[in-house]
Amino acid sequence: MLVKLGPLDSGRIADLRPYFDSVPDPRARRGRWYSLTAIMLVCACAAVSGARSIDELAEWGQRASTALLTAIRIRRHLLRWRRTPAPATIGRVLGAVDGDALDRAVGAYLADRHRAATEPAQASSPSGFGPSRVIAVDGKALKGSARLTATRRHLLSAVTHGTVVTLAQVEVGAKMNETTHFCPLLAPLDLTGTVVTFDALHSVKSNISWLVETKKAHYIAVIKTNQPTVHAQLAALPWQSIAVQHTASGAGHGRRDSRSIKTCSIADKLGGIAFPHARLAIRIHRRRKQTGRRETRESVYAVTNLDAHQAGPADLAAAIRGHWGVENSSHHIRDVTFAEDASTVHAGTAPRAMATLRNLAIGALKTLGADNIAKTTRAIRDEHSPSWASPTIRTPTELDQTLPLKDTDFAARPACYLKSSHRAQAIAGILFAW
């Protein structure tokens, strides 16, 4: 699995440290032993290895080599009373850190990595809007953060299609507050020429007007009965006389799906529809046959300000389906691989900070070409050396003595060739050069 990531050389690694340096430290100066950047780097490296809890974040630091901890700038204690941040220290820092500043830092880091990873694809196909130019806005609840006296946290994120990275994230309190945080979420991003997709909850006319007029972006908005006038106008269009322009089908997980799309230009001089800047009306017809059940059919309507020459039916279908693919490419991974819904972290900003670290891990691995995050994190975490299975080797020190590789050999080698005690170096190499 790790062979797909290729050599982790400086050309493919963006240094995470300057981004963390921009996050203000919430602690008092007195009694501070580890810098905030060092603590966050330990957490980031642990998240890339699949750490799910604060205890696992601290355990990664305890297993890391001295050379790596020095590169992270972990301050050594002269009497060796402490080596790496304890779980209590990490918990206090994550609970007090500025969530907005941390999300901005991680979002900027992932945006830079995503830009570097997708620039070749954009150069080869400058006419179409590729995956790097389509962003989905979607929310997610942190179910395990709920308590008797507090509701569960809810986050709203801007996630790229294709190579999935989270560019921005805000905490909204509850799902009903997502629409009011739509503009603040996207305001820091450069969206000129970008296509933004979202579900019916965010199809608010004032937000759409701001997106097009202020941010100079395009949109694909799903319309449901929460916009009754627009929905009735779209349903009344002469879809029966319009030929199917694109079809796609697939099978898996015990079901068969087929989707067809029709588009219809909207002429303003003929009245248009009651939705700002709408140029094309879209109807997607879905058929699903679950094993042992009757076939179900559904028609979904959408509108976009893209003209027919800017995006064909296949492009529109891919963008709409890609929006729902974010659920599998980001939210599902956070829930299953990183057990986010099962996490009971709830103090302060710690739930949001843990979600940010998971976004960082997913985005960093996706930009390196990992298509299965669960397998990749296991490959990074698990030991590959046969000597680890030997009953005569019990401690990390004994394990280090059995390995022929040196720390200085790491930068020139692919991650898949690193032995067990060098897995921490492999994780660090994904996030920063050292």
Side-chain angles (χ1 to χ4, degrees):
M1 174 57 64
L2 287 180
V3 72
K4 293 184 178 181
L5 303 186
L8 300 177
D9 52 37
S10 58
R12 303 184 70 207
I13 300 169
D15 198 337
L16 181 57
R17 283 172 290 204
Y19 298 89
F20 279 152
D21 287 340
S22 65
V23 181
D25 196 329
R27 300 170 295 171
R29 298 184 65 86
R30 182 177 181 180
R32 186 191 306 172
W33 186 263
Y34 303 108
S35 69
L36 178 66
T37 298
I39 294 175
M40 295 310 302
L41 282 174
V42 169
C43 295
C45 293
V48 170
S49 72
R52 300 181 172 188
S53 64
I54 291 177
D55 287 337
E56 292 182 13
L57 298 179
E59 289 168 4
W60 183 93
Q62 296 167 3
R63 294 193 300 265
S65 66
T66 301
L68 177 57
L69 295 178
T70 302
I72 295 177
R73 299 172 188 170
I74 290 291
R75 184 181 175 187
R76 295 184 62 187
H77 197 281
L78 296 178
L79 300 179
R80 297 187 178 182
W81 289 350
R82 56 177 70 89
R83 183 170 182 266
T84 57
T89 301
I90 294 176
R92 285 195 299 268
V93 169
L94 295 183
V97 71
D98 186 338
D100 292 331
L102 182 61
D103 276 319
R104 283 195 299 268
V106 172
Y109 171 76
L110 291 177
D112 290 342
R113 293 195 64 154
H114 184 264
R115 190 179 304 109
T118 56
E119 275 179 353
Q122 292 180 22
S124 61
S125 59
S127 59
F129 61 87
S132 61
R133 298 186 60 192
V134 186
I135 295 176
V137 176
D138 199 13
K140 185 181 186 304
L142 307 180
K143 297 180 180 179
S145 62
R147 287 296 178 271
L148 291 176
T149 57
T151 59
R152 61 188 181 187
R153 312 294 179 87
H154 198 91
L155 304 176
L156 182 65
S157 306
V159 186
T160 59
H161 290 215
T163 303
V164 174
V165 300
T166 302
L167 301 179
Q169 180 176 267
V170 294
E171 186 169 347
V172 300
K175 186 176 180 64
M176 65 183 67
N177 298 331
E178 286 189 17
T179 55
T180 59
H181 288 80
F182 181 88
C183 294
L185 171 72
L186 298 177
L189 303 180
D190 181 10
L191 299 179
T192 303
T194 301
V195 179
V196 181
T197 64
F198 39 86
D199 56 24
L201 177 64
H202 297 287
S203 297
V204 179
K205 296 178 182 179
S206 59
N207 291 345
I208 302 302
S209 298
W210 172 85
L211 188 65
V212 176
E213 297 168 7
T214 303
K215 303 299 290 183
K216 309 301 180 184
H218 302 291
Y219 69 86
I220 301 177
V222 174
I223 303 297
K224 294 185 178 179
T225 53
N226 63 329
Q227 295 280 352
T229 302
V230 184
H231 186 269
Q233 289 176 329
L234 291 174
L237 291 175
W239 297 111
Q240 297 298 328
S241 60
I242 300 175
V244 173
Q245 298 164 350
H246 177 74
T247 60
S249 60
H253 304 285
R255 64 177 182 266
R256 298 178 62 184
D257 297 288
S258 65
R259 299 167 299 279
S260 62
I261 185 172
K262 297 180 179 181
T263 63
C264 177
S265 296
I266 303 171
D268 290 336
K269 62 182 179 181
L270 298 179
I273 63 172
F275 207 77
H277 306 283
R279 298 292 185 85
L280 284 177
I282 304 168
R283 193 195 79 158
I284 297 178
H285 189 68
R286 299 170 180 160
R287 296 185 179 186
R288 170 173 294 184
K289 178 65 171 67
Q290 196 87 17
T291 302
R293 297 185 181 180
R294 298 180 60 183
E295 181 182 80
T296 60
R297 301 183 182 187
E298 178 188 21
S299 291
V300 177
Y301 299 102
V303 292
T304 179
N305 67 329
L306 289 163
D307 285 316
H309 68 275
Q310 292 177 302
D315 296 325
L316 295 172
I320 294 172
R321 182 161 178 78
H323 177 82
W324 307 118
V326 170
E327 181 70 28
N328 294 329
S329 301
S330 179
H331 297 172
H332 181 75
I333 293 174
R334 283 162 56 177
D335 286 336
V336 177
T337 303
F338 293 97
E340 183 169 85
D341 279 348
S343 174
T344 57
V345 175
H346 62 278
T349 58
R352 179 179 178 180
M354 290 293 292
T356 303
L357 293 172
R358 297 177 188 115
N359 291 335
L360 172 61
I362 295 170
L365 293 175
K366 288 285 188 180
T367 55
L368 286 175
D371 54 358
N372 189 313
I373 299 299
K375 286 185 178 180
T376 305
T377 53
R378 286 197 300 268
I380 293 173
R381 180 182 65 246
D382 295 345
E383 291 75 19
H384 299 284
S385 172
S387 59
W388 180 254
S390 172
T392 61
I393 299 176
R394 298 299 182 188
T395 66
T397 302
E398 294 174 335
L399 180 61
D400 289 337
Q401 295 172 353
T402 68
L403 301 176
L405 291 177
K406 298 180 180 179
D407 290 343
T408 55
D409 298 331
F410 164 72
R413 305 225 179 169
C416 57
Y417 296 132
L418 299 177
K419 301 275 181 150
S420 55
S421 71
H422 289 74
R423 66 191 182 279
Q425 286 93 321
I427 296 164
I430 293 173
L431 298 174
F432 61 90
W434 62 287

